[in-house]
Amino acid sequence: FYYMLYIVPTPIGNLQDITLRALETLKTADAVLCEDTRRTQILLSHFGISKPLYRYNENDDRSVLRCLEALKSGKKCALVSDCGTPCISDPGWKLVKEAVANGIKVSSLPGPSAVACALAGAGITGGAFTFLGFLPRKPGKAAKLLSAAYSQNHPVVLYESPYRVVKMLELVAKTLGGETPVILARELSKVYEEWIRGTAVSLAEELSKKSKVQGEFVMILDRPAQTEEATDEPDSYF
Ligand code: SAM
């Protein structure tokens, strides 16, 4: 009993975060399926690994088929993305779906992912949260998704690029209210890791004063502080 397709998370900013099992899997794979061959080549070279690389692009059906054919021909493949866990706001799910449909055994390795890393460090209640990944570019669509998710009374987690983070904070303020508590986890696991906390309005102001916003962000929209009486959560499950 062994697997043919391994989903292998890679570091989100610190090469030391690769797991021993990820390295072992990459070393023993017949081929590595990746988003960007150049980036994956750099990662593999760093760890002294040399493997045939297959570029994988979800919007290119031929690339999905090519990877599927490699699997069907008996090649043991490791699927990686540019950073973090494949399939989480990254390519991969189509291939995994096809692999499952074709009876190819899939194993998913645990490892770095920005959403889990940010949530753990945010210091907010664990349990339920809504992960939206990247919101659509159209403000109308984005606002709709935001309000629907936030109305479920759980923290909402978003991925955002540095170029759009101020715009997103403004949209949050407009859609959910300026006082919405926000936690920005910036450059996780890198030298300039930073946690910026405030409200949608205060953070939009703070960041728009900077000449250039840099780095990668996870944005967490927390629930406003509630008095104990106001919470509608049960005291216990029993
Ligand atoms: N598959 C990845 C994962 O498992 O987290 C996510 C890939 S997605 C294309 C990239 C986004 O993840 C970035 O725009 C940012 O929102 C978030 N991200 C990735 N690395 C990060 C880091 N070191 N610090 C903060 N956010 C990060």
Side-chain angles (χ1 to χ4, degrees):
F1 179 80
Y2 72 106
Y3 298 95
M4 293 307 295
L5 176 60
Y6 290 80
I7 303 168
V8 180
T10 56
I12 60 168
N14 187 328
L15 286 169
Q16 293 191 47
D17 292 333
I18 192 122
T19 69
L20 295 175
R21 202 146 79 88
L23 283 179
E24 187 58 29
T25 306
L26 291 168
K27 274 183 198 154
T28 54
D30 297 314
V32 176
L33 318 179
C34 62
E35 196 179 346
D36 176 339
T37 49
R38 208 180 53 91
R39 282 193 64 160
T40 299
Q41 193 64 65
I42 294 171
L43 179 84
L44 294 187
S45 305
H46 179 85
F47 293 107
I49 300 170
S50 166
K51 290 287 159 181
L53 298 181
Y54 288 62
R55 199 182 60 87
Y56 170 77
N57 174 352
E58 213 116 75
N59 300 317
D60 172 5
D61 286 346
R62 272 183 314 174
S63 77
V64 180
L65 273 180
R66 202 171 50 237
C67 293
L68 191 63
E69 286 312 318
L71 286 162
K72 281 186 178 166
S73 73
K75 285 198 166 72
K76 180 178 145 185
C77 296
L79 170 69
V80 301
S81 61
D82 283 354
C83 87
T85 302
C87 309
I88 306 298
S89 295
D90 258 349
W93 73 270
K94 269 192 190 169
L95 182 62
V96 174
K97 184 171 175 248
E98 288 299 326
V100 172
N102 282 273
I104 291 160
K105 286 201 171 8
V106 178
S107 176
S108 182
L109 272 60
S113 191
V115 49
C117 187
L119 266 171
I124 58 174
T125 56
F129 65 91
T130 307
F131 176 57
L132 296 179
F134 292 101
L135 284 175
R137 285 292 172 93
K138 287 203 170 130
K141 272 193 176 171
K144 242 187 185 169
L145 273 170
L146 260 184
S147 4
Y150 200 65
S151 70
Q152 302 198 339
N153 290 331
H154 304 308
V156 170
V157 187
L158 305 169
Y159 282 167
E160 194 47 276
S161 94
Y163 313 106
R164 296 176 39 84
V165 74
V166 171
K167 276 223 154 62
M168 185 52 71
L169 286 164
E170 288 166 355
L171 185 77
V172 170
K174 205 171 130 194
T175 316
L176 309 178
E179 291 307 302
T180 307
V182 179
I183 300 149
L184 289 175
R186 181 177 163 269
E187 297 285 74
L188 291 165
S189 75
K190 301 186 194 178
V191 180
Y192 296 107
E193 174 172 332
E194 187 182 12
W195 296 81
I196 317 171
R197 296 160 202 272
T199 65
V201 160
S202 74
L203 292 186
E205 258 175 38
E206 190 179 323
L207 292 190
S208 56
K209 277 189 209 134
K210 299 192 183 209
S211 57
K212 198 172 169 204
V213 180
Q214 280 178 311
E216 309 222 60
F217 288 90
V218 178
M219 187 184 292
I220 301 179
L221 313 177
D222 196 7
R223 309 300 311 169
Q226 284 180 326
T227 59
E228 237 172 73
E229 301 82 66
T231 57
D232 53 6
E233 282 179 27
D235 286 342
S236 96
Y237 291 107
F238 304 104

